[in-house]
Amino acid sequence: VEVQFGDYLYPAINQLANEVSRSNYLTNGKFPVSMVLRVPVGAYDGGGPYHSGSIESTLLNIKGIKVAYPSNAADMKGLMKAAYYDPNPVIMLEHKGLYWSKVEGTDTAKTIEPDINYILPLGKASIALAVNEEKLSLGETVCIITYGMGVHLAKNAAKNFEGKVEIVDLRCLYPLDEETVFASVKKHGKVIVLSEEQQTNSFAESLSLRISNNCYHFLDAKVEVIGAMDLPATPINIALEKAMLPTVSKLNDKIEKLLQY
């Protein structure tokens, strides 16, 4: 099933929250709802208030639903096949700016299908960019925990800090690969959680607290969170849209700040 834009999902919230998400649990596995729901999300090029929403935090508060958010075509293929075989309802969030790499600087979203039967297990993050080992040994590195469009934003910012930025691509928001996240944080001690979603009360802020609670003794500085400005909707004006969203420039400032520790 596809809902054409994330902003159009809200009329279905009752079905998702009260029926689809609960069926497997309430029937002790007798009546699982094996559903794959594709939802294009995210802002680019003036899509405006009804075509640009980020809805991951809303979905993650509905228990019983798995949420995947790939950053490239190969991961999309592998995750969707895993979702098809999963007995639970799975929502595939797809940033529409990554279709055909329409947003500048997202060419790496175009990836070759690894195999016709390629399946990528839900809940397995990847290292989208590694650091230079010498800079790591000198304490001159930072990790960015992100997903979807954020992976490409982080890659473009990392070009200004050669060998100093590790990027963890979550690929799936629930279940979440805490093992990979915490390992990266403990290795670098400096961390940014990056999201396009409005920041306050978001998944990104929740993850930053989880990182602080589990990796406190390994942190050189507080966990930084970067998200969109807390506005009720995405402006249709392109200049205002850009002002609202996280950018390479804003990310550069946070990286520079952390590398001072």
Side-chain angles (χ1 to χ4, degrees):
V1 181
E2 182 192 24
V3 173
Q4 192 175 27
F5 296 103
D7 310 82
Y8 297 175
L9 189 74
Y10 296 104
I13 287 293
N14 179 56
Q15 285 75 25
L16 284 173
N18 287 325
E19 305 295 341
V20 171
S21 65
R22 298 178 176 183
S23 182
N24 192 35
Y25 174 73
L26 292 176
T27 64
N28 197 27
K30 291 181 180 179
F31 300 106
V33 179
S34 183
M35 179 192 72
V36 181
L37 177 63
R38 297 181 61 190
V39 188
V41 293
Y44 86 100
D45 203 29
Y50 299 107
H51 307 88
S52 308
S54 293
I55 58 171
E56 51 265 38
S57 292
T58 298
L59 296 174
L60 290 166
N61 278 292
I62 303 174
K63 307 309 177 188
I65 290 177
K66 296 184 177 181
V67 180
Y69 201 147
S71 67
N72 62 73
D75 285 0
M76 174 66 194
K77 163 70 182 291
L79 289 167
M80 191 150 67
K81 289 202 74 170
Y84 176 81
Y85 288 113
D86 198 291
N88 301 285
V90 181
I91 297 181
M92 305 290 305
L93 298 180
E94 309 165 21
H95 197 294
K96 62 183 186 293
L98 298 181
Y99 294 150
W100 306 285
S101 294
K102 288 183 286 189
V103 171
E104 183 179 358
T106 63
D107 285 342
T108 55
K110 299 176 182 177
T111 46
I112 301 298
E113 179 184 31
D115 181 82
I116 192 170
N117 296 314
Y118 178 61
I119 298 178
L120 181 61
L122 297 170
K124 295 294 182 183
S126 69
I127 303 301
L129 183 68
V131 296
N132 177 281
E133 290 298 322
E134 181 180 353
K135 295 186 186 300
L136 176 62
S137 66
L138 295 172
E140 298 177 352
T141 60
V142 60
C143 66
I144 300 176
I145 315 298
T146 188
Y147 53 93
M149 180 61 75
V151 173
H152 304 278
L153 186 64
K155 284 181 177 180
N156 285 297
K159 294 175 183 177
N160 301 307
F161 305 91
E162 188 174 355
K164 295 184 177 182
V165 176
E166 179 170 285
I167 301 171
V168 177
D169 182 355
L170 294 177
R171 301 198 290 200
C172 198
L173 307 185
Y174 186 83
L176 181 70
D177 186 355
E178 291 186 345
E179 182 179 355
T180 298
V181 170
F182 295 161
S184 180
V185 172
K186 291 175 181 179
K187 183 166 64 172
H188 301 283
K190 297 176 278 288
V191 57
I192 296 170
V193 181
L194 171 64
S195 168
E196 184 178 300
E197 195 175 27
Q198 284 92 330
Q199 182 171 326
T200 302
N201 301 324
S202 65
F203 162 75
E205 284 198 332
S206 174
L207 179 55
S208 72
L209 177 62
R210 208 180 314 180
I211 290 170
S212 295
N213 286 342
N214 287 275
C215 307
Y216 177 78
H217 295 291
F218 297 88
L219 293 172
D220 297 326
K222 76 176 184 70
V223 179
E224 296 285 348
V225 180
I226 301 179
M229 294 173 64
D230 293 322
L231 300 176
T234 305
I236 196 168
N237 179 282
I238 293 178
L240 293 178
E241 176 190 76
K242 184 177 180 181
M244 174 188 180
L245 297 175
T247 62
V248 170
S249 177
K250 295 174 186 177
L251 187 52
N252 282 343
D253 291 342
K254 290 287 187 182
I255 296 172
E256 288 180 355
K257 175 183 176 181
L258 283 179
L259 286 176
Q260 294 174 6
Y261 290 94

